């Protein structure tokens, strides 16, 4: 039973982690989430960069697989981080950085360090999917509370209406 709505994710990685990103995307999809990778678009086409940026802009969550290659200057994943920054000024709850391959923290962009970095102790795919599912549940709870808050406001307004508008 799924207690959360699907989380639309974009998985950013270096070319060296392409197989790992594929495994993560498959696992995310298996858990009921949407997962988008850069190779879901035709490279070299005029629309590639625009489609990639649109995918990040429409995502609920940006997942970044940290590795020495992905944080290297000139890696296209750094452009994807910039697209995420344009989408979310504050990465908290919107960007999930995962220490996929041990990488010095000094090499990791500040934006990615602004929220907690997931440091898997076992299977990185399983732990990342679990964190995404937790984030989706928290998002669903927030939405439910916001909806209930709206219902409460309507009830209070209705009660006030009865008080202020006698027959």
């Amino acid at each position: 039973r799924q207690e959360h709505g699907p989380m639309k994710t974009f998985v950013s990685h270096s070319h060296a982690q392409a197989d790992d990103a594929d495994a993560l995307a498959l696992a995310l999809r298996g858990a009921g989430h949407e997962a988008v990778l850069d190779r879901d678009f035709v490279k070299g086409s005029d629309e590639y960069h625009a489609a990639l940026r649109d995918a990040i802009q429409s995502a609920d969550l940006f997942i970044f697989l940290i590795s020495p290659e992905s944080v290297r200057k000139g890696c296209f994943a750094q452009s994807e981080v910039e697209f995420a920054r344009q989408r979310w000024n504050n990465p908290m709850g919107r960007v999930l950085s995962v220490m996929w391959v041990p990488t010095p923290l000094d090499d990791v962009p500040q934006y990615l360090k602004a929220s907690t970095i997931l440091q898997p102790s076992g299977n990185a795919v399983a732990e990342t999917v679990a964190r995404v599912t937790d984030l989706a549940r928290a998002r669903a709870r927030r939405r439910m509370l916001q909806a209930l808050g709206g219902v409460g406001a309507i009830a209070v307004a209705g009660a006030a209406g009865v008080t202020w508008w006698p027959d």
Side-chain angles (χ1 to χ4, degrees):
R1 176 178 134 237
Q2 193 175 24
E3 298 172 4
H4 57 82
M7 181 80 79
K8 184 175 181 185
T9 63
F10 184 91
V11 181
S12 180
H13 58 89
S14 72
H15 180 71
Q17 278 69 50
D19 289 343
D20 293 335
D22 283 335
L24 177 58
L26 287 170
L28 285 164
R29 292 172 187 144
H33 303 291
E34 294 179 49
V36 178
L37 298 165
D38 60 350
R39 65 189 140 284
D40 293 336
F41 309 100
V42 180
K43 286 187 179 164
S45 71
D46 292 338
E47 300 88 22
Y48 176 74
H49 292 106
L52 194 64
R53 186 171 183 210
D54 288 347
I56 294 169
Q57 295 289 316
S58 67
D60 299 315
L61 182 68
F62 178 81
I63 300 173
F64 188 87
L65 306 186
I66 298 172
S67 67
E69 297 85 7
S70 69
V71 298
R72 187 172 296 132
K73 210 174 194 71
C75 179
F76 195 78
Q78 294 301 306
S79 295
E80 294 169 352
V81 170
E82 185 55 34
F83 296 153
R85 180 194 306 267
Q86 291 169 8
R87 167 83 161 100
W88 303 290
N89 191 32
N90 179 353
M92 296 296 290
R94 299 295 187 182
V95 175
L96 175 59
S97 301
V98 183
M99 187 62 74
W100 208 261
V101 176
T103 304
L105 284 178
D106 287 345
D107 295 346
V108 177
Q110 284 299 108
Y111 181 75
L112 297 175
K113 292 189 287 190
S115 60
T116 303
I117 296 174
L118 176 62
Q119 302 211 19
S121 58
N123 184 288
V125 168
E127 291 183 38
T128 303
V129 171
R131 179 65 63 92
V132 171
T133 299
D134 290 345
L135 289 169
R137 284 186 182 129
R139 185 179 73 159
R141 276 193 299 272
R142 277 192 308 276
R143 287 183 174 170
M144 185 179 70
L145 288 173
Q146 287 171 345
L148 289 175
V151 169
I154 291 169
V156 169
V162 169
T163 304
W164 295 103
W165 302 104
D167 290 352

